[in-house]
PDB file of all heavy atoms in Angstrom:
ATOM      1  N   ALA A   2      -6.611  -5.474   5.706  1.00 96.00           N
ATOM      2  CA  ALA A   2      -5.913  -4.666   4.707  1.00 96.00           C
ATOM      3  C   ALA A   2      -5.033  -3.676   5.452  1.00 96.00           C
ATOM      4  O   ALA A   2      -5.465  -3.063   6.425  1.00 96.00           O
ATOM      5  CB  ALA A   2      -6.897  -3.929   3.811  1.00 96.00           C
ATOM      6  N   PHE A   3      -3.784  -3.528   4.997  1.00 97.00           N
ATOM      7  CA  PHE A   3      -2.898  -2.557   5.648  1.00 97.00           C
ATOM      8  C   PHE A   3      -1.741  -2.194   4.735  1.00 97.00           C
ATOM      9  O   PHE A   3      -1.447  -2.865   3.752  1.00 97.00           O
ATOM     10  CB  PHE A   3      -2.366  -3.095   6.985  1.00 97.00           C
ATOM     11  CG  PHE A   3      -1.307  -4.160   6.863  1.00 97.00           C
ATOM     12  CD1 PHE A   3       0.047  -3.836   6.768  1.00 97.00           C
ATOM     13  CD2 PHE A   3      -1.659  -5.506   6.848  1.00 97.00           C
ATOM     14  CE1 PHE A   3       1.013  -4.821   6.656  1.00 97.00           C
ATOM     15  CE2 PHE A   3      -0.698  -6.494   6.737  1.00 97.00           C
ATOM     16  CZ  PHE A   3       0.653  -6.154   6.639  1.00 97.00           C
ATOM     17  N   ARG A   4      -1.079  -1.111   5.111  1.00 97.00           N
ATOM     18  CA  ARG A   4       0.192  -0.719   4.507  1.00 97.00           C
ATOM     19  C   ARG A   4       1.028  -0.060   5.589  1.00 97.00           C
ATOM     20  O   ARG A   4       0.491   0.701   6.406  1.00 97.00           O
ATOM     21  CB  ARG A   4      -0.009   0.269   3.349  1.00 97.00           C
ATOM     22  CG  ARG A   4       1.309   0.677   2.688  1.00 97.00           C
ATOM     23  CD  ARG A   4       1.126   1.671   1.553  1.00 97.00           C
ATOM     24  NE  ARG A   4       0.710   2.999   1.999  1.00 97.00           N
ATOM     25  CZ  ARG A   4      -0.467   3.538   1.718  1.00 97.00           C
ATOM     26  NH1 ARG A   4      -1.362   2.881   1.004  1.00 97.00           N
ATOM     27  NH2 ARG A   4      -0.770   4.746   2.162  1.00 97.00           N
ATOM     28  N   ILE A   5       2.304  -0.348   5.599  1.00 96.00           N
ATOM     29  CA  ILE A   5       3.234   0.342   6.485  1.00 96.00           C
ATOM     30  C   ILE A   5       3.960   1.404   5.673  1.00 96.00           C
ATOM     31  O   ILE A   5       4.602   1.105   4.675  1.00 96.00           O
ATOM     32  CB  ILE A   5       4.216  -0.645   7.131  1.00 96.00           C
ATOM     33  CG1 ILE A   5       3.458  -1.523   8.144  1.00 96.00           C
ATOM     34  CG2 ILE A   5       5.370   0.075   7.813  1.00 96.00           C
ATOM     35  CD1 ILE A   5       4.305  -2.544   8.841  1.00 96.00           C
ATOM     36  N   GLY A   6       3.847   2.649   6.117  1.00 95.00           N
ATOM     37  CA  GLY A   6       4.504   3.749   5.438  1.00 95.00           C
ATOM     38  C   GLY A   6       3.622   4.444   4.419  1.00 95.00           C
ATOM     39  O   GLY A   6       2.458   4.075   4.208  1.00 95.00           O
ATOM     40  N   ALA A   7       4.175   5.523   3.800  1.00 93.00           N
ATOM     41  CA  ALA A   7       3.474   6.339   2.806  1.00 93.00           C
ATOM     42  C   ALA A   7       2.121   6.822   3.330  1.00 93.00           C
ATOM     43  O   ALA A   7       1.075   6.568   2.713  1.00 93.00           O
ATOM     44  CB  ALA A   7       3.305   5.582   1.496  1.00 93.00           C
ATOM     45  N   PRO A   8       2.111   7.540   4.459  1.00 94.00           N
ATOM     46  CA  PRO A   8       0.834   7.970   5.041  1.00 94.00           C
ATOM     47  C   PRO A   8       0.070   8.973   4.189  1.00 94.00           C
ATOM     48  O   PRO A   8      -1.133   9.176   4.397  1.00 94.00           O
ATOM     49  CB  PRO A   8       1.267   8.606   6.375  1.00 94.00           C
ATOM     50  CG  PRO A   8       2.685   9.025   6.158  1.00 94.00           C
ATOM     51  CD  PRO A   8       3.272   7.994   5.250  1.00 94.00           C
ATOM     52  N   ASP A   9       0.755   9.599   3.214  1.00 92.00           N
ATOM     53  CA  ASP A   9       0.084  10.578   2.364  1.00 92.00           C
ATOM     54  C   ASP A   9      -0.627   9.953   1.169  1.00 92.00           C
ATOM     55  O   ASP A   9      -1.293  10.645   0.403  1.00 92.00           O
ATOM     56  CB  ASP A   9       1.111  11.595   1.853  1.00 92.00           C
ATOM     57  CG  ASP A   9       2.252  10.935   1.088  1.00 92.00           C
ATOM     58  OD1 ASP A   9       2.573   9.771   1.402  1.00 92.00           O
ATOM     59  OD2 ASP A   9       2.826  11.587   0.188  1.00 92.00           O
ATOM     60  N   GLN A  10      -0.511   8.636   1.024  1.00 93.00           N
ATOM     61  CA  GLN A  10      -1.114   7.930  -0.105  1.00 93.00           C
ATOM     62  C   GLN A  10      -2.456   7.313   0.301  1.00 93.00           C
ATOM     63  O   GLN A  10      -2.699   7.049   1.483  1.00 93.00           O
ATOM     64  CB  GLN A  10      -0.166   6.845  -0.615  1.00 93.00           C
ATOM     65  CG  GLN A  10       1.138   7.383  -1.171  1.00 93.00           C
ATOM     66  CD  GLN A  10       0.916   8.285  -2.364  1.00 93.00           C
ATOM     67  OE1 GLN A  10       0.299   7.898  -3.355  1.00 93.00           O
ATOM     68  NE2 GLN A  10       1.397   9.527  -2.272  1.00 93.00           N
ATOM     69  N   PRO A  11      -3.338   7.028  -0.670  1.00 93.00           N
ATOM     70  CA  PRO A  11      -4.630   6.416  -0.349  1.00 93.00           C
ATOM     71  C   PRO A  11      -4.458   5.081   0.373  1.00 93.00           C
ATOM     72  O   PRO A  11      -3.532   4.309   0.078  1.00 93.00           O
ATOM     73  CB  PRO A  11      -5.276   6.210  -1.725  1.00 93.00           C
ATOM     74  CG  PRO A  11      -4.615   7.225  -2.608  1.00 93.00           C
ATOM     75  CD  PRO A  11      -3.201   7.337  -2.110  1.00 93.00           C
ATOM     76  N   ALA A  12      -5.335   4.813   1.305  1.00 95.00           N
ATOM     77  CA  ALA A  12      -5.250   3.582   2.097  1.00 95.00           C
ATOM     78  C   ALA A  12      -5.735   2.384   1.293  1.00 95.00           C
ATOM     79  O   ALA A  12      -6.631   2.514   0.446  1.00 95.00           O
ATOM     80  CB  ALA A  12      -6.096   3.720   3.357  1.00 95.00           C
ATOM     81  N   PRO A  13      -5.158   1.212   1.535  1.00 95.00           N
ATOM     82  CA  PRO A  13      -5.675  -0.001   0.882  1.00 95.00           C
ATOM     83  C   PRO A  13      -7.076  -0.324   1.387  1.00 95.00           C
ATOM     84  O   PRO A  13      -7.407  -0.062   2.550  1.00 95.00           O
ATOM     85  CB  PRO A  13      -4.666  -1.070   1.292  1.00 95.00           C
ATOM     86  CG  PRO A  13      -4.048  -0.558   2.551  1.00 95.00           C
ATOM     87  CD  PRO A  13      -4.020   0.928   2.421  1.00 95.00           C
ATOM     88  N   VAL A  14      -7.869  -0.889   0.525  1.00 92.00           N
ATOM     89  CA  VAL A  14      -9.272  -1.178   0.837  1.00 92.00           C
ATOM     90  C   VAL A  14      -9.439  -2.677   1.043  1.00 92.00           C
ATOM     91  O   VAL A  14      -8.936  -3.481   0.247  1.00 92.00           O
ATOM     92  CB  VAL A  14     -10.183  -0.694  -0.315  1.00 92.00           C
ATOM     93  CG1 VAL A  14     -11.641  -1.043  -0.035  1.00 92.00           C
ATOM     94  CG2 VAL A  14     -10.015   0.808  -0.523  1.00 92.00           C
ATOM     95  N   PRO A  15     -10.146  -3.103   2.114  1.00 91.00           N
ATOM     96  CA  PRO A  15     -10.387  -4.538   2.312  1.00 91.00           C
ATOM     97  C   PRO A  15     -11.102  -5.151   1.111  1.00 91.00           C
ATOM     98  O   PRO A  15     -11.950  -4.522   0.473  1.00 91.00           O
ATOM     99  CB  PRO A  15     -11.272  -4.567   3.558  1.00 91.00           C
ATOM    100  CG  PRO A  15     -10.938  -3.307   4.290  1.00 91.00           C
ATOM    101  CD  PRO A  15     -10.686  -2.285   3.209  1.00 91.00           C
ATOM    102  N   ARG A  16     -10.742  -6.393   0.808  1.00 92.00           N
ATOM    103  CA  ARG A  16     -11.336  -7.117  -0.313  1.00 92.00           C
ATOM    104  C   ARG A  16     -11.937  -8.417   0.199  1.00 92.00           C
ATOM    105  O   ARG A  16     -12.125  -8.590   1.389  1.00 92.00           O
ATOM    106  CB  ARG A  16     -10.276  -7.363  -1.374  1.00 92.00           C
ATOM    107  CG  ARG A  16      -9.511  -6.078  -1.711  1.00 92.00           C
ATOM    108  CD  ARG A  16      -9.254  -5.903  -3.141  1.00 92.00           C
ATOM    109  NE  ARG A  16      -8.698  -4.590  -3.422  1.00 92.00           N
ATOM    110  CZ  ARG A  16      -8.462  -4.124  -4.620  1.00 92.00           C
ATOM    111  NH1 ARG A  16      -8.753  -4.876  -5.679  1.00 92.00           N
ATOM    112  NH2 ARG A  16      -7.952  -2.928  -4.808  1.00 92.00           N
ATOM    113  N   ASP A  17     -12.202  -9.347  -0.720  1.00 93.00           N
ATOM    114  CA  ASP A  17     -12.823 -10.599  -0.296  1.00 93.00           C
ATOM    115  C   ASP A  17     -11.826 -11.541   0.357  1.00 93.00           C
ATOM    116  O   ASP A  17     -12.207 -12.617   0.837  1.00 93.00           O
ATOM    117  CB  ASP A  17     -13.532 -11.284  -1.468  1.00 93.00           C
ATOM    118  CG  ASP A  17     -12.580 -11.568  -2.624  1.00 93.00           C
ATOM    119  OD1 ASP A  17     -11.399 -11.142  -2.563  1.00 93.00           O
ATOM    120  OD2 ASP A  17     -13.012 -12.218  -3.593  1.00 93.00           O
ATOM    121  N   GLN A  18     -10.532 -11.198   0.351  1.00 94.00           N
ATOM    122  CA  GLN A  18      -9.514 -11.932   1.087  1.00 94.00           C
ATOM    123  C   GLN A  18      -8.500 -10.932   1.625  1.00 94.00           C
ATOM    124  O   GLN A  18      -8.379  -9.822   1.089  1.00 94.00           O
ATOM    125  CB  GLN A  18      -8.844 -12.969   0.194  1.00 94.00           C
ATOM    126  CG  GLN A  18      -8.229 -12.429  -1.084  1.00 94.00           C
ATOM    127  CD  GLN A  18      -7.627 -13.546  -1.921  1.00 94.00           C
ATOM    128  OE1 GLN A  18      -6.991 -14.447  -1.398  1.00 94.00           O
ATOM    129  NE2 GLN A  18      -7.847 -13.498  -3.233  1.00 94.00           N
ATOM    130  N   PRO A  19      -7.777 -11.261   2.700  1.00 96.00           N
ATOM    131  CA  PRO A  19      -6.854 -10.303   3.310  1.00 96.00           C
ATOM    132  C   PRO A  19      -5.792  -9.834   2.323  1.00 96.00           C
ATOM    133  O   PRO A  19      -5.206 -10.634   1.589  1.00 96.00           O
ATOM    134  CB  PRO A  19      -6.239 -11.093   4.469  1.00 96.00           C
ATOM    135  CG  PRO A  19      -7.256 -12.137   4.798  1.00 96.00           C
ATOM    136  CD  PRO A  19      -7.859 -12.521   3.481  1.00 96.00           C
ATOM    137  N   VAL A  20      -5.537  -8.521   2.318  1.00 97.00           N
ATOM    138  CA  VAL A  20      -4.562  -7.927   1.403  1.00 97.00           C
ATOM    139  C   VAL A  20      -3.648  -6.983   2.182  1.00 97.00           C
ATOM    140  O   VAL A  20      -3.896  -6.640   3.343  1.00 97.00           O
ATOM    141  CB  VAL A  20      -5.251  -7.154   0.258  1.00 97.00           C
ATOM    142  CG1 VAL A  20      -6.071  -8.086  -0.622  1.00 97.00           C
ATOM    143  CG2 VAL A  20      -6.118  -6.024   0.815  1.00 97.00           C
ATOM    144  N   PHE A  21      -2.587  -6.553   1.527  1.00 97.00           N
ATOM    145  CA  PHE A  21      -1.702  -5.523   2.063  1.00 97.00           C
ATOM    146  C   PHE A  21      -0.972  -4.888   0.897  1.00 97.00           C
ATOM    147  O   PHE A  21      -1.009  -5.392  -0.228  1.00 97.00           O
ATOM    148  CB  PHE A  21      -0.720  -6.100   3.084  1.00 97.00           C
ATOM    149  CG  PHE A  21       0.320  -7.023   2.505  1.00 97.00           C
ATOM    150  CD1 PHE A  21       1.654  -6.649   2.455  1.00 97.00           C
ATOM    151  CD2 PHE A  21      -0.030  -8.279   2.013  1.00 97.00           C
ATOM    152  CE1 PHE A  21       2.614  -7.501   1.928  1.00 97.00           C
ATOM    153  CE2 PHE A  21       0.929  -9.128   1.488  1.00 97.00           C
ATOM    154  CZ  PHE A  21       2.258  -8.735   1.438  1.00 97.00           C
ATOM    155  N   GLU A  22      -0.319  -3.773   1.162  1.00 96.00           N
ATOM    156  CA  GLU A  22       0.457  -3.113   0.136  1.00 96.00           C
ATOM    157  C   GLU A  22       1.917  -3.022   0.545  1.00 96.00           C
ATOM    158  O   GLU A  22       2.229  -2.749   1.710  1.00 96.00           O
ATOM    159  CB  GLU A  22      -0.075  -1.695  -0.129  1.00 96.00           C
ATOM    160  CG  GLU A  22      -1.397  -1.670  -0.863  1.00 96.00           C
ATOM    161  CD  GLU A  22      -1.882  -0.261  -1.143  1.00 96.00           C
ATOM    162  OE1 GLU A  22      -1.336   0.700  -0.559  1.00 96.00           O
ATOM    163  OE2 GLU A  22      -2.826  -0.123  -1.945  1.00 96.00           O
ATOM    164  N   THR A  23       2.813  -3.256  -0.412  1.00 94.00           N
ATOM    165  CA  THR A  23       4.230  -2.979  -0.230  1.00 94.00           C
ATOM    166  C   THR A  23       4.575  -1.765  -1.087  1.00 94.00           C
ATOM    167  O   THR A  23       3.772  -1.318  -1.911  1.00 94.00           O
ATOM    168  CB  THR A  23       5.097  -4.177  -0.629  1.00 94.00           C
ATOM    169  OG1 THR A  23       4.836  -4.509  -2.004  1.00 94.00           O
ATOM    170  CG2 THR A  23       4.790  -5.387   0.249  1.00 94.00           C
ATOM    171  N   LEU A  24       5.767  -1.235  -0.881  1.00 92.00           N
ATOM    172  CA  LEU A  24       6.203  -0.038  -1.589  1.00 92.00           C
ATOM    173  C   LEU A  24       7.469  -0.329  -2.385  1.00 92.00           C
ATOM    174  O   LEU A  24       8.348  -1.065  -1.920  1.00 92.00           O
ATOM    175  CB  LEU A  24       6.483   1.096  -0.596  1.00 92.00           C
ATOM    176  CG  LEU A  24       5.302   1.545   0.274  1.00 92.00           C
ATOM    177  CD1 LEU A  24       5.790   2.503   1.358  1.00 92.00           C
ATOM    178  CD2 LEU A  24       4.225   2.205  -0.574  1.00 92.00           C
ATOM    179  N   THR A  25       7.573   0.255  -3.571  1.00 83.00           N
ATOM    180  CA  THR A  25       8.823   0.181  -4.315  1.00 83.00           C
ATOM    181  C   THR A  25       9.827   1.138  -3.675  1.00 83.00           C
ATOM    182  O   THR A  25       9.485   1.921  -2.787  1.00 83.00           O
ATOM    183  CB  THR A  25       8.610   0.546  -5.785  1.00 83.00           C
ATOM    184  OG1 THR A  25       8.161   1.912  -5.859  1.00 83.00           O
ATOM    185  CG2 THR A  25       7.581  -0.364  -6.421  1.00 83.00           C
ATOM    186  N   SER A  26      11.064   1.098  -4.129  1.00 72.00           N
ATOM    187  CA  SER A  26      12.119   1.900  -3.515  1.00 72.00           C
ATOM    188  C   SER A  26      11.937   3.394  -3.727  1.00 72.00           C
ATOM    189  O   SER A  26      12.447   4.203  -2.944  1.00 72.00           O
ATOM    190  CB  SER A  26      13.488   1.475  -4.064  1.00 72.00           C
ATOM    191  OG  SER A  26      13.564   1.766  -5.452  1.00 72.00           O
ATOM    192  N   GLY A  27      11.237   3.784  -4.779  1.00 63.00           N
ATOM    193  CA  GLY A  27      11.072   5.202  -5.063  1.00 63.00           C
ATOM    194  C   GLY A  27      12.312   5.835  -5.661  1.00 63.00           C
ATOM    195  O   GLY A  27      12.457   7.065  -5.651  1.00 63.00           O
ATOM    196  N   SER A  28      13.204   5.022  -6.209  1.00 61.00           N
ATOM    197  CA  SER A  28      14.464   5.544  -6.748  1.00 61.00           C
ATOM    198  C   SER A  28      14.245   6.459  -7.955  1.00 61.00           C
ATOM    199  O   SER A  28      15.089   7.296  -8.264  1.00 61.00           O
ATOM    200  CB  SER A  28      15.392   4.391  -7.138  1.00 61.00           C
ATOM    201  OG  SER A  28      14.767   3.543  -8.084  1.00 61.00           O
ATOM    202  N   THR A  29      13.122   6.314  -8.628  1.00 66.00           N
ATOM    203  CA  THR A  29      12.843   7.157  -9.791  1.00 66.00           C
ATOM    204  C   THR A  29      11.697   8.135  -9.525  1.00 66.00           C
ATOM    205  O   THR A  29      11.132   8.706 -10.449  1.00 66.00           O
ATOM    206  CB  THR A  29      12.481   6.284 -11.005  1.00 66.00           C
ATOM    207  OG1 THR A  29      11.322   5.482 -10.688  1.00 66.00           O
ATOM    208  CG2 THR A  29      13.632   5.379 -11.391  1.00 66.00           C
ATOM    209  N   GLY A  30      11.374   8.346  -8.272  1.00 66.00           N
ATOM    210  CA  GLY A  30      10.287   9.247  -7.928  1.00 66.00           C
ATOM    211  C   GLY A  30       9.579   8.766  -6.676  1.00 66.00           C
ATOM    212  O   GLY A  30      10.173   8.117  -5.819  1.00 66.00           O
ATOM    213  N   GLN A  31       8.291   9.059  -6.583  1.00 77.00           N
ATOM    214  CA  GLN A  31       7.515   8.643  -5.424  1.00 77.00           C
ATOM    215  C   GLN A  31       7.359   7.125  -5.418  1.00 77.00           C
ATOM    216  O   GLN A  31       7.127   6.510  -6.462  1.00 77.00           O
ATOM    217  CB  GLN A  31       6.135   9.297  -5.463  1.00 77.00           C
ATOM    218  CG  GLN A  31       5.316   9.004  -4.216  1.00 77.00           C
ATOM    219  CD  GLN A  31       4.164   9.974  -4.077  1.00 77.00           C
ATOM    220  OE1 GLN A  31       4.277  11.133  -4.461  1.00 77.00           O
ATOM    221  NE2 GLN A  31       3.061   9.518  -3.537  1.00 77.00           N
ATOM    222  N   PRO A  32       7.516   6.473  -4.244  1.00 80.00           N
ATOM    223  CA  PRO A  32       7.346   5.012  -4.181  1.00 80.00           C
ATOM    224  C   PRO A  32       5.995   4.583  -4.731  1.00 80.00           C
ATOM    225  O   PRO A  32       4.968   5.229  -4.496  1.00 80.00           O
ATOM    226  CB  PRO A  32       7.458   4.713  -2.684  1.00 80.00           C
ATOM    227  CG  PRO A  32       8.260   5.837  -2.134  1.00 80.00           C
ATOM    228  CD  PRO A  32       7.880   7.045  -2.933  1.00 80.00           C
TER     229      PRO A  32
END
């Protein structure tokens, strides 16, 4: 489990299969 960027946000949690998080552009606020 991983995410690149947004270090101030909660970390992704490992699940029963590998996961990751992407980020939206944040054009209307926080990504």
Side-chain angles (χ1 to χ4, degrees):
F3 74 88
R4 181 181 70 246
I5 290 180
D9 58 331
Q10 296 298 304
V14 177
R16 311 221 172 185
D17 58 354
Q18 56 182 318
V20 296
F21 69 111
E22 288 181 347
T23 58
L24 300 171
T25 63
S26 65
S28 58
T29 59
Q31 185 163 327

